Amino acid sequence: IVPHLKKMLSDSEPNVRWDASIALAKQKDSSGRSILLDLLDRKYLNSFSNIDKVEQVQAMMVAINVAPLIQDSDLKASLLDLRETDSNLKIREAARRALLNFEE
């Protein structure tokens, strides 16, 4: 299944890429790392006019929850930023909790 998910990372449909990166992270595979970083970036998500604020928060929450599974320093930095600066308190709290699962 992992090879198929890796292929999906280059799909033309963003939702397919996003879902593949989440699925890979759940397998502790960091191949979709850059896509996860995008999902943690509000500016990136704001570029999609068809995604409302609720869907944006849902996408970010899923990415936050799987980020610790691959223990990436850039993902950790994104979570630190979200924890301190995001406008949504649920996102800030989720980032705080996810950071507890990162190794020092």
Side-chain angles (χ1 to χ4, degrees):
I1 191 163
V2 169
H4 296 294
L5 290 170
K6 287 181 178 183
K7 269 188 183 173
M8 293 167 63
L9 292 174
S10 57
D11 195 276
S12 60
E13 175 58 44
N15 280 319
V16 172
R17 294 192 304 268
W18 300 344
D19 289 346
S21 70
I22 298 293
L24 284 163
K26 287 179 179 179
Q27 301 294 317
K28 296 185 167 65
D29 186 308
S30 63
S31 301
R33 175 191 157 283
S34 63
I35 295 168
L36 289 176
L37 286 166
D38 285 342
L39 290 172
L40 296 174
D41 181 356
R42 282 196 182 272
K43 289 182 189 117
Y44 170 79
L45 292 172
N46 284 336
S47 70
F48 295 91
S49 59
N50 59 329
I51 298 176
D52 65 27
K53 295 295 180 194
V54 172
E55 292 170 318
Q56 191 178 90
V57 167
Q58 289 173 334
M60 292 178 78
M61 291 293 276
V62 172
I64 288 167
N65 289 328
V66 300
L69 297 174
I70 56 175
Q71 297 289 310
D72 177 79
S73 61
D74 290 331
L75 287 170
K76 184 177 181 180
S78 288
L79 292 176
L80 286 165
D81 185 54
L82 288 173
R83 181 187 71 186
E84 300 301 321
T85 65
D86 198 78
S87 59
N88 184 305
L89 293 179
K90 286 182 181 178
I91 294 288
R92 290 173 77 158
E93 176 60 15
R96 185 193 68 77
R97 283 193 319 268
L99 285 162
L100 296 174
N101 295 311
F102 270 85
E103 298 170 6
E104 289 300 317

